[in-house]
Amino acid sequence: MLIAGFPAGAWGTNCYLVAPAAGEECVIIDPGHQAAPGVEDALRKHRLKPVAVILTHGHLDHVASVVPVCGAHDVPAWIHPEDRYMMSDPEKALGRSIGQQLMGELTVGEPDDVKELADGSTLELAGMEFSVAHAPGHTKGSVTFRMPEQADVPPVLFSGDLLFAGSIGRTDLPGGDHAEILRSLERVCLPLDDSTVVLSGHGPQTTIGRERATNPFLRQVAAGLGDGTQTAAPRRGM
């Protein structure tokens, strides 16, 4: 399996291209702010052909390049229905103070073909399987994408802004809910095998085992203390 990832834009949001191997079809995950040039570079480098864009949630730092990327390659974008409005109305999604700062520099809207994700569904794209889990808390429509273990490749979780190395996503923007993100961590992350590689929306990769042992939020949930009390500051990305 080939996973090519790079941080893009002002928020260093991780964009991923996933394919069975170089020279094959691929899926693009979270082409955010200023991600389009990096996507095109990775496509050329690995000789990939996109078949879809899939989105962990609707914040602008994860979706700002969806329209140009989908348009350039005539592919659909997949997003949870509760976050779909964010592609066309980032000011409502981020709050007025943040949204107004960005509206002048960005063209917002939906690509021509938008498909909606459902909790518990499996996407079969480019010869690969992505299991979808609804994981609200950072936003109402946040999801994760999990790929099963394959030969000598461990399972992979694309966690979006649910789980980071050492932290979790912020919950102070519209639609955020700290108690809810703790419930999502319990339901989505705790049952996973320790070997699961976590590729998040910001920062370095980690594993479920490492986060189970060291992440203060995941430890809080594992100890049965997921009562909404905040034990440490979450990452302050978008």
Side-chain angles (χ1 to χ4, degrees):
M1 184 168 62
L2 169 68
I3 300 177
F6 62 91
W11 297 275
T13 304
N14 291 326
C15 176
Y16 300 100
L17 290 80
V18 188
E24 300 195 24
E25 293 182 334
C26 75
V27 172
I28 300 167
I29 301 176
D30 288 355
H33 184 233
Q34 298 177 348
V39 167
E40 297 304 320
D41 287 346
L43 291 174
R44 285 192 295 269
K45 178 180 178 180
H46 300 289
R47 309 182 316 280
L48 300 173
K49 174 180 172 51
V51 297
V53 168
I54 59 177
L55 304 167
T56 62
H57 63 288
H59 278 160
L60 201 59
D61 60 325
H62 290 252
V63 307
S65 295
V66 169
V67 169
V69 168
C70 288
H73 300 282
D74 192 25
V75 299
W78 292 77
I79 192 168
H80 192 275
E82 291 199 63
D83 274 13
R84 181 170 177 170
Y85 76 93
M86 296 185 183
M87 291 192 287
S88 300
D89 196 353
E91 184 174 323
K92 183 178 179 181
L94 298 172
R96 192 172 183 82
S97 60
I98 298 176
Q100 280 192 326
Q101 298 173 33
L102 301 171
M103 293 303 288
E105 66 167 288
L106 298 169
T107 300
V108 299
E110 292 190 354
D112 291 338
D113 187 0
V114 179
K115 301 181 185 297
E116 296 187 345
L117 299 165
D119 182 40
S121 63
T122 298
L123 299 180
E124 296 184 358
L125 300 166
M128 302 175 291
E129 291 187 356
F130 298 84
S131 297
V132 180
H134 187 208
H138 179 61
T139 66
K140 291 296 185 186
S142 288
V143 301
T144 65
F145 302 108
R146 183 174 56 83
M147 301 184 72
E149 183 176 1
Q150 304 173 43
D152 58 349
V153 179
V156 176
L157 178 73
F158 295 95
S159 64
D161 286 7
L162 170 64
L163 178 67
F164 301 129
S167 192
I168 60 173
R170 63 190 290 179
T171 56
D172 60 329
L173 294 173
D177 185 308
H178 186 73
E180 192 167 47
I181 204 171
L182 294 182
R183 290 192 293 271
S184 290
L185 289 168
E186 180 178 22
R187 182 175 66 88
V188 175
C189 296
L190 279 186
L192 299 179
D193 189 87
D194 282 351
S195 66
T196 302
V197 175
V198 178
L199 299 177
S200 62
H202 301 270
Q205 78 174 49
T206 184
T207 65
I208 288 294
R210 184 178 302 139
E211 297 312 299
R212 200 190 308 275
T214 63
N215 187 304
F217 299 96
L218 209 56
R219 292 180 67 185
Q220 174 185 353
V221 171
L225 301 176
D227 58 358
T229 302
Q230 194 157 316
T231 59
R235 177 181 291 272
R236 302 299 293 176
M238 184 179 291

PDB file of all heavy atoms in Angstrom, residues 189-225:
ATOM      1  N   CYS A 189     -11.943   4.803  19.041  1.00  0.00           N
ATOM      2  CA  CYS A 189     -10.503   4.545  19.165  1.00  0.00           C
ATOM      3  C   CYS A 189     -10.145   3.443  20.156  1.00  0.00           C
ATOM      4  O   CYS A 189      -9.274   2.609  19.874  1.00  0.00           O
ATOM      5  CB  CYS A 189      -9.784   5.837  19.563  1.00  0.00           C
ATOM      6  SG  CYS A 189      -9.896   7.135  18.309  1.00  0.00           S
ATOM      7  N   LEU A 190     -10.794   3.422  21.311  1.00  0.00           N
ATOM      8  CA  LEU A 190     -10.391   2.456  22.330  1.00  0.00           C
ATOM      9  C   LEU A 190     -10.486   0.995  21.876  1.00  0.00           C
ATOM     10  O   LEU A 190      -9.636   0.179  22.253  1.00  0.00           O
ATOM     11  CB  LEU A 190     -11.206   2.653  23.610  1.00  0.00           C
ATOM     12  CG  LEU A 190     -10.756   3.761  24.554  1.00  0.00           C
ATOM     13  CD1 LEU A 190     -11.574   3.715  25.835  1.00  0.00           C
ATOM     14  CD2 LEU A 190      -9.268   3.663  24.878  1.00  0.00           C
ATOM     15  N   PRO A 191     -11.478   0.605  21.066  1.00  0.00           N
ATOM     16  CA  PRO A 191     -11.554  -0.811  20.667  1.00  0.00           C
ATOM     17  C   PRO A 191     -10.475  -1.243  19.675  1.00  0.00           C
ATOM     18  O   PRO A 191     -10.328  -2.446  19.426  1.00  0.00           O
ATOM     19  CB  PRO A 191     -12.951  -0.920  20.021  1.00  0.00           C
ATOM     20  CG  PRO A 191     -13.712   0.259  20.527  1.00  0.00           C
ATOM     21  CD  PRO A 191     -12.704   1.338  20.670  1.00  0.00           C
ATOM     22  N   LEU A 192      -9.721  -0.306  19.103  1.00  0.00           N
ATOM     23  CA  LEU A 192      -8.770  -0.655  18.050  1.00  0.00           C
ATOM     24  C   LEU A 192      -7.521  -1.321  18.626  1.00  0.00           C
ATOM     25  O   LEU A 192      -7.119  -1.061  19.755  1.00  0.00           O
ATOM     26  CB  LEU A 192      -8.369   0.592  17.260  1.00  0.00           C
ATOM     27  CG  LEU A 192      -9.505   1.320  16.540  1.00  0.00           C
ATOM     28  CD1 LEU A 192      -8.969   2.546  15.820  1.00  0.00           C
ATOM     29  CD2 LEU A 192     -10.222   0.400  15.558  1.00  0.00           C
ATOM     30  N   ASP A 193      -6.904  -2.153  17.800  1.00  0.00           N
ATOM     31  CA  ASP A 193      -5.680  -2.833  18.206  1.00  0.00           C
ATOM     32  C   ASP A 193      -4.554  -1.823  18.404  1.00  0.00           C
ATOM     33  O   ASP A 193      -4.480  -0.802  17.698  1.00  0.00           O
ATOM     34  CB  ASP A 193      -5.277  -3.840  17.127  1.00  0.00           C
ATOM     35  CG  ASP A 193      -4.142  -4.738  17.587  1.00  0.00           C
ATOM     36  OD1 ASP A 193      -4.429  -5.776  18.216  1.00  0.00           O
ATOM     37  OD2 ASP A 193      -2.971  -4.398  17.328  1.00  0.00           O
ATOM     38  N   ASP A 194      -3.669  -2.100  19.360  1.00  0.00           N
ATOM     39  CA  ASP A 194      -2.564  -1.190  19.655  1.00  0.00           C
ATOM     40  C   ASP A 194      -1.674  -0.945  18.443  1.00  0.00           C
ATOM     41  O   ASP A 194      -1.013   0.099  18.349  1.00  0.00           O
ATOM     42  CB  ASP A 194      -1.708  -1.734  20.798  1.00  0.00           C
ATOM     43  CG  ASP A 194      -2.336  -1.520  22.168  1.00  0.00           C
ATOM     44  OD1 ASP A 194      -3.351  -0.796  22.248  1.00  0.00           O
ATOM     45  OD2 ASP A 194      -1.806  -2.067  23.150  1.00  0.00           O
ATOM     46  N   SER A 195      -1.626  -1.895  17.511  1.00  0.00           N
ATOM     47  CA  SER A 195      -0.754  -1.751  16.342  1.00  0.00           C
ATOM     48  C   SER A 195      -1.297  -0.780  15.307  1.00  0.00           C
ATOM     49  O   SER A 195      -0.582  -0.418  14.349  1.00  0.00           O
ATOM     50  CB  SER A 195      -0.537  -3.109  15.677  1.00  0.00           C
ATOM     51  OG  SER A 195      -1.753  -3.595  15.121  1.00  0.00           O
ATOM     52  N   THR A 196      -2.537  -0.339  15.465  1.00  0.00           N
ATOM     53  CA  THR A 196      -3.162   0.544  14.471  1.00  0.00           C
ATOM     54  C   THR A 196      -2.377   1.840  14.336  1.00  0.00           C
ATOM     55  O   THR A 196      -2.145   2.553  15.315  1.00  0.00           O
ATOM     56  CB  THR A 196      -4.611   0.862  14.858  1.00  0.00           C
ATOM     57  OG1 THR A 196      -5.346  -0.361  14.983  1.00  0.00           O
ATOM     58  CG2 THR A 196      -5.273   1.745  13.816  1.00  0.00           C
ATOM     59  N   VAL A 197      -1.965   2.150  13.123  1.00  0.00           N
ATOM     60  CA  VAL A 197      -1.256   3.398  12.835  1.00  0.00           C
ATOM     61  C   VAL A 197      -2.283   4.521  12.712  1.00  0.00           C
ATOM     62  O   VAL A 197      -3.278   4.386  11.993  1.00  0.00           O
ATOM     63  CB  VAL A 197      -0.440   3.277  11.537  1.00  0.00           C
ATOM     64  CG1 VAL A 197       0.193   4.618  11.170  1.00  0.00           C
ATOM     65  CG2 VAL A 197       0.622   2.200  11.688  1.00  0.00           C
ATOM     66  N   VAL A 198      -2.056   5.616  13.419  1.00  0.00           N
ATOM     67  CA  VAL A 198      -2.964   6.755  13.394  1.00  0.00           C
ATOM     68  C   VAL A 198      -2.344   7.862  12.558  1.00  0.00           C
ATOM     69  O   VAL A 198      -1.267   8.385  12.877  1.00  0.00           O
ATOM     70  CB  VAL A 198      -3.252   7.272  14.819  1.00  0.00           C
ATOM     71  CG1 VAL A 198      -4.173   8.489  14.762  1.00  0.00           C
ATOM     72  CG2 VAL A 198      -3.865   6.168  15.674  1.00  0.00           C
ATOM     73  N   LEU A 199      -3.033   8.215  11.469  1.00  0.00           N
ATOM     74  CA  LEU A 199      -2.629   9.321  10.613  1.00  0.00           C
ATOM     75  C   LEU A 199      -3.671  10.419  10.791  1.00  0.00           C
ATOM     76  O   LEU A 199      -4.805  10.291  10.339  1.00  0.00           O
ATOM     77  CB  LEU A 199      -2.539   8.867   9.154  1.00  0.00           C
ATOM     78  CG  LEU A 199      -1.510   7.758   8.884  1.00  0.00           C
ATOM     79  CD1 LEU A 199      -1.553   7.331   7.422  1.00  0.00           C
ATOM     80  CD2 LEU A 199      -0.112   8.218   9.257  1.00  0.00           C
ATOM     81  N   SER A 200      -3.283  11.463  11.476  1.00  0.00           N
ATOM     82  CA  SER A 200      -4.252  12.474  11.907  1.00  0.00           C
ATOM     83  C   SER A 200      -4.243  13.697  11.005  1.00  0.00           C
ATOM     84  O   SER A 200      -3.439  13.807  10.080  1.00  0.00           O
ATOM     85  CB  SER A 200      -3.946  12.888  13.350  1.00  0.00           C
ATOM     86  OG  SER A 200      -2.656  13.462  13.428  1.00  0.00           O
ATOM     87  N   GLY A 201      -5.147  14.615  11.309  1.00  0.00           N
ATOM     88  CA  GLY A 201      -5.280  15.818  10.508  1.00  0.00           C
ATOM     89  C   GLY A 201      -4.170  16.823  10.699  1.00  0.00           C
ATOM     90  O   GLY A 201      -3.951  17.677   9.839  1.00  0.00           O
ATOM     91  N   HIS A 202      -3.454  16.740  11.806  1.00  0.00           N
ATOM     92  CA  HIS A 202      -2.352  17.657  12.099  1.00  0.00           C
ATOM     93  C   HIS A 202      -1.282  16.901  12.874  1.00  0.00           C
ATOM     94  O   HIS A 202      -1.594  16.058  13.721  1.00  0.00           O
ATOM     95  CB  HIS A 202      -2.828  18.850  12.938  1.00  0.00           C
ATOM     96  CG  HIS A 202      -3.909  19.650  12.294  1.00  0.00           C
ATOM     97  ND1 HIS A 202      -3.660  20.721  11.456  1.00  0.00           N
ATOM     98  CD2 HIS A 202      -5.260  19.532  12.351  1.00  0.00           C
ATOM     99  CE1 HIS A 202      -4.811  21.224  11.030  1.00  0.00           C
ATOM    100  NE2 HIS A 202      -5.800  20.517  11.559  1.00  0.00           N
ATOM    101  N   GLY A 203      -0.037  17.200  12.594  1.00  0.00           N
ATOM    102  CA  GLY A 203       1.042  16.632  13.375  1.00  0.00           C
ATOM    103  C   GLY A 203       1.501  15.271  12.888  1.00  0.00           C
ATOM    104  O   GLY A 203       1.057  14.767  11.853  1.00  0.00           O
ATOM    105  N   PRO A 204       2.407  14.635  13.659  1.00  0.00           N
ATOM    106  CA  PRO A 204       3.031  13.385  13.230  1.00  0.00           C
ATOM    107  C   PRO A 204       2.128  12.183  13.408  1.00  0.00           C
ATOM    108  O   PRO A 204       1.126  12.232  14.128  1.00  0.00           O
ATOM    109  CB  PRO A 204       4.252  13.282  14.149  1.00  0.00           C
ATOM    110  CG  PRO A 204       3.803  13.951  15.417  1.00  0.00           C
ATOM    111  CD  PRO A 204       2.949  15.109  14.959  1.00  0.00           C
ATOM    112  N   GLN A 205       2.507  11.092  12.767  1.00  0.00           N
ATOM    113  CA  GLN A 205       1.765   9.842  12.945  1.00  0.00           C
ATOM    114  C   GLN A 205       2.072   9.256  14.319  1.00  0.00           C
ATOM    115  O   GLN A 205       3.077   9.564  14.956  1.00  0.00           O
ATOM    116  CB  GLN A 205       2.096   8.848  11.851  1.00  0.00           C
ATOM    117  CG  GLN A 205       3.415   8.117  11.991  1.00  0.00           C
ATOM    118  CD  GLN A 205       3.574   7.041  10.920  1.00  0.00           C
ATOM    119  OE1 GLN A 205       3.364   7.283   9.729  1.00  0.00           O
ATOM    120  NE2 GLN A 205       3.960   5.858  11.330  1.00  0.00           N
ATOM    121  N   THR A 206       1.167   8.411  14.774  1.00  0.00           N
ATOM    122  CA  THR A 206       1.338   7.737  16.055  1.00  0.00           C
ATOM    123  C   THR A 206       0.671   6.367  15.944  1.00  0.00           C
ATOM    124  O   THR A 206       0.371   5.917  14.838  1.00  0.00           O
ATOM    125  CB  THR A 206       0.754   8.589  17.203  1.00  0.00           C
ATOM    126  OG1 THR A 206       1.011   7.958  18.461  1.00  0.00           O
ATOM    127  CG2 THR A 206      -0.738   8.823  17.045  1.00  0.00           C
ATOM    128  N   THR A 207       0.471   5.697  17.066  1.00  0.00           N
ATOM    129  CA  THR A 207      -0.262   4.433  17.081  1.00  0.00           C
ATOM    130  C   THR A 207      -1.285   4.470  18.205  1.00  0.00           C
ATOM    131  O   THR A 207      -1.155   5.247  19.162  1.00  0.00           O
ATOM    132  CB  THR A 207       0.665   3.226  17.302  1.00  0.00           C
ATOM    133  OG1 THR A 207       1.236   3.322  18.613  1.00  0.00           O
ATOM    134  CG2 THR A 207       1.756   3.166  16.251  1.00  0.00           C
ATOM    135  N   ILE A 208      -2.285   3.620  18.092  1.00  0.00           N
ATOM    136  CA  ILE A 208      -3.273   3.532  19.164  1.00  0.00           C
ATOM    137  C   ILE A 208      -2.598   3.103  20.461  1.00  0.00           C
ATOM    138  O   ILE A 208      -2.907   3.616  21.549  1.00  0.00           O
ATOM    139  CB  ILE A 208      -4.391   2.549  18.784  1.00  0.00           C
ATOM    140  CG1 ILE A 208      -5.289   3.166  17.698  1.00  0.00           C
ATOM    141  CG2 ILE A 208      -5.240   2.183  20.014  1.00  0.00           C
ATOM    142  CD1 ILE A 208      -6.091   4.383  18.128  1.00  0.00           C
ATOM    143  N   GLY A 209      -1.655   2.175  20.390  1.00  0.00           N
ATOM    144  CA  GLY A 209      -0.965   1.728  21.593  1.00  0.00           C
ATOM    145  C   GLY A 209      -0.236   2.856  22.293  1.00  0.00           C
ATOM    146  O   GLY A 209      -0.299   2.990  23.526  1.00  0.00           O
ATOM    147  N   ARG A 210       0.458   3.674  21.524  1.00  0.00           N
ATOM    148  CA  ARG A 210       1.181   4.802  22.114  1.00  0.00           C
ATOM    149  C   ARG A 210       0.215   5.796  22.754  1.00  0.00           C
ATOM    150  O   ARG A 210       0.451   6.299  23.858  1.00  0.00           O
ATOM    151  CB  ARG A 210       2.019   5.494  21.039  1.00  0.00           C
ATOM    152  CG  ARG A 210       2.892   6.636  21.566  1.00  0.00           C
ATOM    153  CD  ARG A 210       3.720   7.217  20.440  1.00  0.00           C
ATOM    154  NE  ARG A 210       4.554   6.184  19.823  1.00  0.00           N
ATOM    155  CZ  ARG A 210       4.748   6.071  18.512  1.00  0.00           C
ATOM    156  NH1 ARG A 210       4.146   6.895  17.673  1.00  0.00           N
ATOM    157  NH2 ARG A 210       5.531   5.120  18.046  1.00  0.00           N
ATOM    158  N   GLU A 211      -0.885   6.083  22.059  1.00  0.00           N
ATOM    159  CA  GLU A 211      -1.850   7.043  22.605  1.00  0.00           C
ATOM    160  C   GLU A 211      -2.587   6.465  23.810  1.00  0.00           C
ATOM    161  O   GLU A 211      -2.894   7.180  24.772  1.00  0.00           O
ATOM    162  CB  GLU A 211      -2.834   7.476  21.523  1.00  0.00           C
ATOM    163  CG  GLU A 211      -2.177   8.203  20.357  1.00  0.00           C
ATOM    164  CD  GLU A 211      -1.226   9.288  20.814  1.00  0.00           C
ATOM    165  OE1 GLU A 211      -1.672  10.238  21.494  1.00  0.00           O
ATOM    166  OE2 GLU A 211      -0.020   9.195  20.506  1.00  0.00           O
ATOM    167  N   ARG A 212      -2.858   5.178  23.788  1.00  0.00           N
ATOM    168  CA  ARG A 212      -3.517   4.550  24.939  1.00  0.00           C
ATOM    169  C   ARG A 212      -2.649   4.700  26.202  1.00  0.00           C
ATOM    170  O   ARG A 212      -3.154   4.859  27.306  1.00  0.00           O
ATOM    171  CB  ARG A 212      -3.766   3.073  24.636  1.00  0.00           C
ATOM    172  CG  ARG A 212      -4.844   2.435  25.528  1.00  0.00           C
ATOM    173  CD  ARG A 212      -4.888   0.924  25.362  1.00  0.00           C
ATOM    174  NE  ARG A 212      -4.992   0.468  23.981  1.00  0.00           N
ATOM    175  CZ  ARG A 212      -6.130   0.354  23.321  1.00  0.00           C
ATOM    176  NH1 ARG A 212      -7.269   0.665  23.895  1.00  0.00           N
ATOM    177  NH2 ARG A 212      -6.135  -0.098  22.070  1.00  0.00           N
ATOM    178  N   ALA A 213      -1.337   4.666  25.998  1.00  0.00           N
ATOM    179  CA  ALA A 213      -0.420   4.729  27.135  1.00  0.00           C
ATOM    180  C   ALA A 213      -0.081   6.151  27.567  1.00  0.00           C
ATOM    181  O   ALA A 213       0.223   6.375  28.747  1.00  0.00           O
ATOM    182  CB  ALA A 213       0.877   3.988  26.794  1.00  0.00           C
ATOM    183  N   THR A 214      -0.133   7.119  26.630  1.00  0.00           N
ATOM    184  CA  THR A 214       0.416   8.442  26.943  1.00  0.00           C
ATOM    185  C   THR A 214      -0.546   9.611  26.743  1.00  0.00           C
ATOM    186  O   THR A 214      -0.340  10.675  27.331  1.00  0.00           O
ATOM    187  CB  THR A 214       1.660   8.708  26.081  1.00  0.00           C
ATOM    188  OG1 THR A 214       1.287   8.733  24.690  1.00  0.00           O
ATOM    189  CG2 THR A 214       2.718   7.629  26.296  1.00  0.00           C
ATOM    190  N   ASN A 215      -1.560   9.457  25.916  1.00  0.00           N
ATOM    191  CA  ASN A 215      -2.456  10.584  25.617  1.00  0.00           C
ATOM    192  C   ASN A 215      -3.377  10.831  26.808  1.00  0.00           C
ATOM    193  O   ASN A 215      -4.131   9.934  27.203  1.00  0.00           O
ATOM    194  CB  ASN A 215      -3.271  10.254  24.360  1.00  0.00           C
ATOM    195  CG  ASN A 215      -4.096  11.424  23.874  1.00  0.00           C
ATOM    196  OD1 ASN A 215      -4.891  11.986  24.602  1.00  0.00           O
ATOM    197  ND2 ASN A 215      -3.908  11.778  22.607  1.00  0.00           N
ATOM    198  N   PRO A 216      -3.346  12.024  27.409  1.00  0.00           N
ATOM    199  CA  PRO A 216      -4.137  12.247  28.626  1.00  0.00           C
ATOM    200  C   PRO A 216      -5.639  12.084  28.412  1.00  0.00           C
ATOM    201  O   PRO A 216      -6.352  11.655  29.315  1.00  0.00           O
ATOM    202  CB  PRO A 216      -3.789  13.680  29.026  1.00  0.00           C
ATOM    203  CG  PRO A 216      -3.271  14.319  27.780  1.00  0.00           C
ATOM    204  CD  PRO A 216      -2.582  13.231  27.022  1.00  0.00           C
ATOM    205  N   PHE A 217      -6.130  12.395  27.223  1.00  0.00           N
ATOM    206  CA  PHE A 217      -7.560  12.282  26.949  1.00  0.00           C
ATOM    207  C   PHE A 217      -7.981  10.827  26.766  1.00  0.00           C
ATOM    208  O   PHE A 217      -9.014  10.403  27.285  1.00  0.00           O
ATOM    209  CB  PHE A 217      -7.918  13.110  25.717  1.00  0.00           C
ATOM    210  CG  PHE A 217      -7.640  14.568  25.878  1.00  0.00           C
ATOM    211  CD1 PHE A 217      -6.457  15.119  25.412  1.00  0.00           C
ATOM    212  CD2 PHE A 217      -8.540  15.401  26.522  1.00  0.00           C
ATOM    213  CE1 PHE A 217      -6.192  16.464  25.571  1.00  0.00           C
ATOM    214  CE2 PHE A 217      -8.287  16.749  26.688  1.00  0.00           C
ATOM    215  CZ  PHE A 217      -7.102  17.282  26.208  1.00  0.00           C
ATOM    216  N   LEU A 218      -7.170  10.068  26.022  1.00  0.00           N
ATOM    217  CA  LEU A 218      -7.504   8.663  25.830  1.00  0.00           C
ATOM    218  C   LEU A 218      -7.358   7.890  27.141  1.00  0.00           C
ATOM    219  O   LEU A 218      -8.157   6.991  27.434  1.00  0.00           O
ATOM    220  CB  LEU A 218      -6.616   8.060  24.741  1.00  0.00           C
ATOM    221  CG  LEU A 218      -7.216   6.908  23.934  1.00  0.00           C
ATOM    222  CD1 LEU A 218      -8.532   7.325  23.292  1.00  0.00           C
ATOM    223  CD2 LEU A 218      -6.236   6.434  22.867  1.00  0.00           C
ATOM    224  N   ARG A 219      -6.376   8.257  27.945  1.00  0.00           N
ATOM    225  CA  ARG A 219      -6.222   7.622  29.260  1.00  0.00           C
ATOM    226  C   ARG A 219      -7.407   7.951  30.163  1.00  0.00           C
ATOM    227  O   ARG A 219      -7.881   7.110  30.925  1.00  0.00           O
ATOM    228  CB  ARG A 219      -4.910   8.071  29.912  1.00  0.00           C
ATOM    229  CG  ARG A 219      -3.666   7.555  29.198  1.00  0.00           C
ATOM    230  CD  ARG A 219      -2.399   8.004  29.871  1.00  0.00           C
ATOM    231  NE  ARG A 219      -2.261   7.389  31.190  1.00  0.00           N
ATOM    232  CZ  ARG A 219      -1.284   7.675  32.039  1.00  0.00           C
ATOM    233  NH1 ARG A 219      -0.378   8.591  31.716  1.00  0.00           N
ATOM    234  NH2 ARG A 219      -1.205   7.058  33.194  1.00  0.00           N
ATOM    235  N   GLN A 220      -7.889   9.183  30.078  1.00  0.00           N
ATOM    236  CA  GLN A 220      -9.056   9.585  30.859  1.00  0.00           C
ATOM    237  C   GLN A 220     -10.269   8.741  30.497  1.00  0.00           C
ATOM    238  O   GLN A 220     -10.984   8.238  31.370  1.00  0.00           O
ATOM    239  CB  GLN A 220      -9.361  11.072  30.599  1.00  0.00           C
ATOM    240  CG  GLN A 220     -10.635  11.599  31.242  1.00  0.00           C
ATOM    241  CD  GLN A 220     -10.933  13.029  30.837  1.00  0.00           C
ATOM    242  OE1 GLN A 220     -10.129  13.681  30.182  1.00  0.00           O
ATOM    243  NE2 GLN A 220     -12.093  13.525  31.216  1.00  0.00           N
ATOM    244  N   VAL A 221     -10.474   8.554  29.198  1.00  0.00           N
ATOM    245  CA  VAL A 221     -11.616   7.774  28.743  1.00  0.00           C
ATOM    246  C   VAL A 221     -11.453   6.301  29.131  1.00  0.00           C
ATOM    247  O   VAL A 221     -12.393   5.646  29.592  1.00  0.00           O
ATOM    248  CB  VAL A 221     -11.787   7.920  27.216  1.00  0.00           C
ATOM    249  CG1 VAL A 221     -12.837   6.955  26.704  1.00  0.00           C
ATOM    250  CG2 VAL A 221     -12.180   9.353  26.863  1.00  0.00           C
ATOM    251  N   ALA A 222     -10.248   5.762  28.950  1.00  0.00           N
ATOM    252  CA  ALA A 222     -10.000   4.355  29.271  1.00  0.00           C
ATOM    253  C   ALA A 222     -10.204   4.076  30.756  1.00  0.00           C
ATOM    254  O   ALA A 222     -10.604   2.968  31.144  1.00  0.00           O
ATOM    255  CB  ALA A 222      -8.584   3.963  28.861  1.00  0.00           C
ATOM    256  N   ALA A 223      -9.957   5.084  31.590  1.00  0.00           N
ATOM    257  CA  ALA A 223     -10.135   4.926  33.034  1.00  0.00           C
ATOM    258  C   ALA A 223     -11.583   5.118  33.466  1.00  0.00           C
ATOM    259  O   ALA A 223     -11.894   5.054  34.660  1.00  0.00           O
ATOM    260  CB  ALA A 223      -9.233   5.900  33.776  1.00  0.00           C
ATOM    261  N   GLY A 224     -12.460   5.372  32.499  1.00  0.00           N
ATOM    262  CA  GLY A 224     -13.870   5.570  32.824  1.00  0.00           C
ATOM    263  C   GLY A 224     -14.173   6.931  33.398  1.00  0.00           C
ATOM    264  O   GLY A 224     -15.176   7.115  34.094  1.00  0.00           O
ATOM    265  N   LEU A 225     -13.321   7.928  33.045  1.00  0.00           N
ATOM    266  CA  LEU A 225     -13.497   9.273  33.594  1.00  0.00           C
ATOM    267  C   LEU A 225     -13.968  10.255  32.540  1.00  0.00           C
ATOM    268  O   LEU A 225     -13.755  11.450  32.669  1.00  0.00           O
ATOM    269  CB  LEU A 225     -12.169   9.768  34.195  1.00  0.00           C
ATOM    270  CG  LEU A 225     -11.599   8.906  35.312  1.00  0.00           C
ATOM    271  CD1 LEU A 225     -10.240   9.455  35.749  1.00  0.00           C
ATOM    272  CD2 LEU A 225     -12.552   8.853  36.492  1.00  0.00           C
TER     273      LEU A 225
END
